């Protein structure tokens, strides 16, 4: 794993792509594209036909398409007819990307007016996706290390187009065809269709470091920062100009209820972007549709207008997401099983559109929901949770397509800082450890309390109790009727006589005190050793 990352790309005109925002902890903030749909980026001036499972992002002056393991890198560089200069610039780029670079791995061949470069035995290109060093470390996954690269340098009048394919040696033919199809569908927009942009930073004020950079269209307001939501640190982003808006919302709902003896109560705590509200009822989601209805209800509360659902689509999970959710479900099930409860966790990844009057919103919702329950002889309890990130784009219906293409460029330009992700993870881990220690302590105290109560009831029903000599510490189990209120006293010389039934304030008690007898401590539940 690299300790640091530095990327130097060939100079040239900035090119690069996609739908709505979606943020995952410690992941590159990019959205998986939907299959067979042209995606337009008006900030960076290009469009392409998407393939399911593929992501597009900007890396310096390059457009990067990838599915985590396979990469298509496209960039344009100025040239004066001498492709040797372009090849040298590419060589400098590769040396900056790979600490173990060896020129002997590469073969060069002139093809027509262009140049093709081929290499084998390469490692995973962390320089293109530095955040994957964090993700692979978290999941314990070892990425492929037998990468092949095929780079073509194709000359034009003023620019040379440099296209690189990077993929594992055992890549299936179908995946290679997908890479080729994405490249063939790529087209560049005329300048008049493009929108100017500026670079903004998303800061983590708690750590005092940059969390990410992104491109924001000129004339739009921007607010972005990492906020604390429970023990999580998540990026909140808001970009707006009039009715045109792009936003990231983080929603957490924790609900609980207790039923006992025909009576019960319920309570929910809803937190949206760090702000919490208490609700006097359970908020439970049993399906993806329930989660969507919750989002629509939040929008109605925000705008004062009802929103009508127009279209919904389930999005496929990537292999990385499937692995993450599987680990999460196992950990949750094991944790709840240790407490004698059962838990269900359902992942969600859907996109939907809704309209209200002349406005349209498109959102991607990702996260999970579920619940747990426990029943014993005293009471039945139920817990439920909803944890989602909502990436939303809003615009007038008549301008939605053009506006979405602008915000697509914002999404494509997101570049996360691995150092901040690791810092946030360390803070999350430390705080969750404290919470887990507290829960373990409370659970242990609860078990000890139940054990003492069980002993106390057993002794009470069998007319027995425990007594302890305050001077010697000796403990004895003695007979005492459950209705008896008198205490026990011990003979002071030999200590072999216990006198019970001595009522407080009686003449017998005064006499025993005068003769030096000791009053025994008494407890139905016993005297546990500390």
């Amino acid at each position: 794993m690299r300790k640091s990352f530095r990327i130097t790309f060939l100079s040239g005109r900035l090119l690069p792509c996609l739908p709505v925002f979606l943020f995952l902890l410690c992941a590159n903030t990019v959205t998986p594209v939907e299959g067979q749909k042209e995606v337009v980026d008006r900030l960076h001036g290009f469009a392409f036909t998407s393939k399911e499972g593929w992501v597009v992002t900007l890396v310096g002056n390059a457009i990067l398409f990838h599915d985590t393991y396979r990469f298509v890198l496209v960039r344009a560089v100025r040239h004066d007819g001498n492709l040797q200069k372009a090849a040298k610039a590419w060589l400098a780029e590769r040396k900056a990307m790979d600490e173990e670079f060896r020129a002997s791995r590469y073969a060069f061949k002139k093809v027509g007016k262009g140049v093709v470069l081929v290499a084998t035995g390469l490692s995973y290109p962390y320089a293109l996706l530095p955040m994957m060093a964090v993700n692979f470390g978290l999941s314990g996954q070892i990425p492929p290390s037998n990468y092949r690269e095929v780079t073509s340098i194709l000359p034009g009048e003023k620019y040379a187009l440099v296209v690189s394919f990077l993929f594992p040696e055992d890549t299936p033919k179908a995946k290679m065809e997908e890479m080729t199809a994405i490249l063939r569908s790529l087209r560049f927009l005329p300048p008049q269709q493009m929108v100017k942009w500026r670079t903004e930073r998303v800061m983590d004020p708690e750590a005092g470091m940059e969390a990410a950079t992104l491109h924001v269209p000129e004339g739009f307001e921007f607010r972005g920062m990492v906020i604390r939501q429970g023990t999580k640190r998540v990026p909140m982003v808001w970009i707006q100009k009039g009715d045109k808006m792009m936003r990231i919302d983080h929603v957490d709902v924790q609900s609980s209820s207790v039923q006992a003896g025909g009576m019960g109560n319920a309570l929910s705590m809803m937190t949206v972007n760090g702000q919490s509200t208490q609700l006097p009822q359970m908020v439970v989601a049993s399906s993806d549709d329930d989660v969507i209805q919750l989002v629509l209800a939040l929008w109605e509360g925000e705008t004062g207008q009802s929103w009508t659902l127009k279209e919904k689509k389930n999005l496929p999970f990537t292999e990385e997401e499937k692995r993450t959710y599987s680990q999460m479900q196992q950990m949750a099930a094991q944790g709840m099983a240790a407490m004698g409860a059962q838990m269900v966790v359902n992942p969600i990844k859907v996109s939907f559109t809704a309209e209200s009057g002349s406005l349209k919103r498109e959102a991607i919702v990702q996260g999970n929901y579920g619940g747990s329950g426990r029943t014993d002889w005293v009471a039945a309890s139920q817990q439920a949770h909803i944890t989602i990130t909502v990436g939303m784009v809003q615009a007038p219906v008549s301008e939605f397509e053009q506006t979405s293409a602008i915000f697509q460029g914002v999404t494509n330009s997101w570049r996360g800082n691995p150092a901040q992700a690791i810092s946030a993870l360390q803070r999350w881990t430390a705080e969750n450890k404290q919470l887990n220690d507290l829960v373990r302590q409370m659970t242990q105290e609860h078990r000890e309390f139940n054990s003492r109560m069980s002993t106390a009831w057993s002794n009470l029903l069998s007319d027995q109790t425990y007594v302890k000599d305050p001077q010697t510490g000796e403990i004895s189990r003695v007979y005492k009727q459950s209705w008896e209120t008198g205490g026990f006293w011990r003979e002071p010389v030999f200590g072999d006589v216990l006198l019970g039934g001595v009522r407080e304030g009686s003449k017998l008690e005064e006499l025993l005190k005068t003769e030096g007898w000791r009053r025994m401590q008494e407890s139905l539940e016993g005297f546990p050793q500390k």
Side-chain angles (χ1 to χ4, degrees):
M1 185 180 297
R2 304 285 193 272
K3 294 182 179 179
S4 62
F5 307 94
R6 178 172 176 162
I7 310 174
T8 305
F9 283 97
L10 307 177
S11 60
R13 174 176 171 271
L14 185 62
L15 296 174
C17 277
L18 183 185
V20 199
F21 260 49
L22 194 56
F23 292 86
L24 295 175
L25 179 63
C26 297
N28 259 339
T29 307
V30 286
T31 307
V33 300
E34 299 177 30
Q36 302 303 316
K37 172 184 176 183
E38 183 171 63
V39 178
V40 181
D41 180 342
R42 292 182 60 199
L43 287 192
H44 308 105
F46 71 95
F48 73 102
T49 300
S50 64
K51 292 290 183 180
E52 192 172 279
W54 284 82
V55 167
V56 61
T57 185
L58 301 182
V59 181
N61 292 340
I63 311 171
L64 176 65
F65 304 94
H66 73 90
D67 66 353
T68 302
Y69 301 103
R70 287 154 285 269
F71 304 84
V72 179
L73 191 66
V74 182
R75 60 271 200 217
V77 296
R78 288 185 179 274
H79 83 105
D80 55 4
N82 185 353
L83 291 184
Q84 187 175 3
K85 290 183 179 180
K88 287 182 178 179
W90 168 88
L91 186 64
E93 170 191 308
R94 278 294 170 271
K95 288 180 178 179
M97 286 179 59
D98 189 354
E99 295 176 359
E100 302 174 356
F101 175 86
R102 294 201 300 271
S104 59
R105 290 175 172 167
Y106 289 84
F108 298 77
K109 183 178 181 180
K110 188 171 179 61
V111 178
K113 294 182 179 181
V115 176
V116 175
L117 306 97
V118 179
T120 59
L122 305 180
S123 59
Y124 185 89
Y126 284 109
L128 297 179
L129 292 180
M131 199 69 79
M132 290 310 300
V134 180
N135 290 348
F136 286 142
L138 287 174
S139 64
Q141 186 182 359
I142 300 176
S145 58
N146 58 333
Y147 270 79
R148 174 186 289 265
E149 176 182 350
V150 178
T151 293
S152 301
I153 303 178
L154 310 173
E157 290 184 8
K158 296 181 179 180
Y159 292 91
L161 188 67
V162 182
V163 179
S164 298
F165 282 27
L166 292 98
F167 51 92
E169 293 276 5
D170 58 353
T171 296
K173 181 181 178 181
K175 283 295 182 182
M176 295 298 300
E177 291 174 349
E178 287 183 7
M179 297 168 71
T180 304
I182 290 174
L183 180 62
R184 286 177 174 171
S185 71
L186 180 64
R187 64 183 180 88
F188 299 104
L189 306 181
Q192 60 268 26
Q193 293 185 17
M194 297 176 63
V195 175
K196 293 183 178 180
W197 52 265
R198 66 186 189 274
T199 300
E200 293 284 359
R201 298 193 302 167
V202 177
M203 298 298 297
D204 182 344
E206 185 181 18
M209 67 172 65
E210 180 183 284
T213 59
L214 69 164
H215 300 161
V216 175
E218 289 289 1
F220 282 70
E221 288 186 71
F222 168 79
R223 290 202 303 266
M225 64 182 296
V226 173
I227 62 171
R228 180 171 177 171
Q229 184 140 316
T231 57
K232 297 182 298 184
R233 273 72 177 178
V234 291
M236 183 185 71
V237 174
W238 175 87
I239 302 170
Q240 186 170 11
K241 180 181 180 181
D243 289 335
K244 301 173 182 177
M245 176 172 58
M246 181 180 196
R247 196 175 69 208
I248 312 296
D249 293 325
H250 303 276
V251 181
D252 288 321
V253 183
Q254 299 290 336
S255 301
S256 62
S257 69
V258 177
Q259 296 286 335
M263 302 179 63
N265 58 25
L267 185 68
S268 295
M269 182 66 71
M270 178 179 292
T271 305
V272 180
N273 296 334
Q275 303 298 314
S276 297
T277 302
Q278 199 173 83
L279 304 173
Q281 70 269 346
M282 288 280 288
V283 178
V284 180
S286 57
S287 67
D288 291 0
D289 291 338
D290 291 341
V291 177
I292 293 174
Q293 290 303 317
L294 171 64
V295 174
L296 294 176
L298 291 173
W299 288 355
E300 182 175 348
E302 167 205 346
T303 63
Q305 304 291 331
S306 62
W307 289 83
T308 303
L309 180 66
K310 293 296 183 179
E311 185 180 2
K312 168 204 165 186
K313 181 177 181 180
N314 291 319
L315 301 178
F317 292 96
T318 65
E319 292 302 317
E320 192 75 17
E321 290 167 342
K322 291 177 182 178
R323 189 179 298 107
T324 298
Y325 281 123
S326 177
Q327 293 174 346
M328 181 181 65
Q329 288 172 328
Q330 291 177 5
M331 292 174 61
Q334 291 172 358
M336 296 306 295
M339 301 176 63
Q342 294 181 336
M343 187 172 191
V344 175
V345 178
N346 302 299
I348 179 174
K349 187 177 181 182
V350 299
S351 66
F352 70 91
T353 59
E355 294 182 9
S356 177
S358 62
L359 294 179
K360 178 179 178 179
R361 286 185 173 185
E362 181 177 17
I364 289 181
V365 179
Q366 185 160 0
N368 64 86
Y369 60 92
S372 63
R374 179 178 179 179
T375 303
D376 55 34
W377 61 278
V378 176
S381 61
Q382 181 184 5
Q383 288 78 39
H385 77 274
I386 302 171
T387 301
I388 54 174
T389 296
V390 184
M392 181 270 291
V393 166
Q394 172 187 289
V397 175
S398 58
E399 302 176 55
F400 192 84
E401 184 175 347
Q402 291 296 314
T403 303
S404 182
I406 294 174
F407 287 137
Q408 180 62 57
V410 179
T411 304
N412 297 342
S413 67
W414 178 275
R415 194 70 174 169
N417 178 8
Q420 185 276 334
I422 293 173
S423 172
L425 179 63
Q426 290 172 338
R427 283 171 274 162
W428 177 85
T429 301
E431 292 176 6
N432 274 280
K433 182 179 182 301
Q434 293 177 352
L435 289 174
N436 290 337
D437 290 344
L438 180 60
V439 170
R440 278 194 291 268
Q441 180 182 348
M442 293 172 60
T443 302
Q444 182 62 29
E445 291 174 353
H446 179 70
R447 289 173 177 169
E448 292 174 354
F449 174 79
N450 286 343
S451 177
R452 293 197 304 272
M453 289 301 98
S454 176
T455 302
W457 276 103
S458 176
N459 286 333
L460 183 66
L461 295 175
S462 61
D463 291 332
Q464 296 182 81
T465 190
Y466 289 96
V467 293
K468 180 179 180 180
D469 190 323
Q471 182 173 313
T472 65
E474 294 178 73
I475 299 174
S476 304
R477 194 176 188 184
V478 297
Y479 176 79
K480 180 180 179 180
Q481 293 179 322
S482 58
W483 59 84
E484 178 60 58
T485 59
F488 286 84
W489 290 73
R490 190 172 192 179
E491 185 267 327
V493 179
F494 299 103
D496 55 353
V497 177
L498 281 178
L499 181 61
V502 180
R503 296 187 178 183
E504 189 174 355
S506 65
K507 291 184 178 181
L508 177 57
E509 183 184 60
E510 293 179 7
L511 178 61
L512 294 175
K513 286 181 181 180
T514 303
E515 295 296 329
W517 285 55
R518 297 189 298 273
R519 173 131 189 201
M520 304 290 281
Q521 297 174 353
E522 189 175 336
S523 173
L524 282 169
E525 63 189 55
F527 299 91
Q529 299 295 324
K530 295 183 180 179

